[in-house]
Amino acid sequence: MKRGMDSRELKVSVTNLLKRVFTKERFSAYLDVGISDEGLYERGGGGNLGVECWLESSPDGIRVKGKISGKVGMQCTRCLKEYSRELDIDVDEFFMRPGLTQVDEDGLKLNLDSETGEEDDYIIEEGVIDLNVLVNDAVMLSLPMRCLCREDCKGLCQVCGINLNEGECGCEVSDIDPRLEVLRTLLDQDDS
């Protein structure tokens, strides 16, 4: 079973950046990733998806700004064929230092736990930012609900399972909704 992505390349130490506020460092990594129901996973080949960004230090944390671009492997939701999709995603996110106090829209202080913040906040943990979550979030949110190998994909035959893009199978497919089958029997009785 394919697990979520956990690339060591995307776990970046930012200890030096946190010591030197208002400085920048460039970061880049190239990954070979595919998409499953759980999100991205590493395929282990060459790097087809590039992560290129700047890490900018501030008193509150690290801003990550850049691009995720290249190809990602996926499976068509109609015919189940593997194909590649080109991506070009702009990224601009903020990783907060743990233990910071945030202010809500009314100006009231929200005290964050020393280890975790809100569910969708990115937190710096032990001097390391984990870009795996950021890359997974950015890529998954950029994809359409149905990923198709091509717009006119015919899918699989409901009877025999053959890929209809490669040819017709000759199976007889009934277009009647099974919930309306009772009405067909009534029509058959009228004919006799």
Side-chain angles (χ1 to χ4, degrees):
M1 176 181 226
K2 299 170 185 165
R3 291 184 23 231
M5 190 169 72
D6 190 25
S7 173
R8 295 175 90 201
E9 277 185 81
L10 295 180
K11 293 185 179 180
V12 183
S13 174
V14 291
T15 309
N16 288 336
L17 271 175
L18 292 172
K19 291 177 186 174
R20 296 176 289 137
V21 179
F22 304 116
T23 58
K24 286 183 177 183
E25 282 185 14
R26 187 160 173 72
F27 173 80
S28 63
Y30 295 91
L31 310 162
D32 182 23
V33 296
I35 295 177
S36 70
D37 293 338
E38 292 83 32
L40 296 179
Y41 67 93
E42 289 186 90
R43 298 191 313 181
N48 297 327
L49 185 70
V51 179
E52 307 245 350
C53 56
W54 284 96
L55 308 176
E56 302 174 22
S57 167
S58 78
D60 297 335
I62 304 290
R63 181 179 183 190
V64 178
K65 187 174 182 179
K67 277 196 170 298
I68 299 170
S69 58
K71 292 185 179 182
V72 64
M74 18 190 354
Q75 189 176 48
C76 179
T77 55
R78 284 190 190 155
C79 70
L80 307 179
K81 182 180 175 182
E82 291 284 330
Y83 73 102
S84 293
R85 182 179 187 99
E86 191 74 32
L87 298 175
D88 189 23
I89 305 165
D90 290 323
V91 175
D92 190 357
E93 295 292 340
F94 192 77
F95 282 78
M96 295 187 333
R97 291 179 188 253
L100 287 181
T101 303
Q102 284 186 333
V103 179
D104 67 9
E105 57 272 352
D106 298 327
L108 300 173
K109 289 185 178 182
L110 300 173
N111 225 350
L112 294 179
D113 185 291
S114 63
E115 293 299 319
T116 61
E118 291 294 318
E119 188 175 308
D120 51 348
D121 285 340
Y122 296 114
I123 305 292
I124 300 169
E125 296 178 13
E126 298 176 8
V128 173
I129 59 174
D130 188 355
L131 295 177
N132 285 293
V133 178
L134 176 106
V135 170
N136 187 67
D137 290 351
V139 170
M140 295 306 287
L141 289 172
S142 74
L143 298 176
M145 291 297 286
R146 289 188 183 179
C147 299
L148 301 176
C149 60
R150 61 185 203 211
E151 287 298 318
D152 63 341
C153 179
K154 296 177 183 176
L156 302 175
C157 173
Q158 298 173 10
V159 178
C160 69
I162 193 169
N163 186 342
L164 296 174
N165 296 316
E166 297 171 358
E168 296 296 322
C169 60
C171 293
E172 190 174 316
V173 178
S174 171
D175 289 338
I176 296 177
D177 188 332
R179 296 171 291 181
L180 301 176
E181 189 66 34
V182 174
L183 295 177
R184 179 196 270 179
T185 58
L186 291 175
L187 288 174
D188 290 344
Q189 288 175 358
D190 285 345
D191 291 340
S192 33

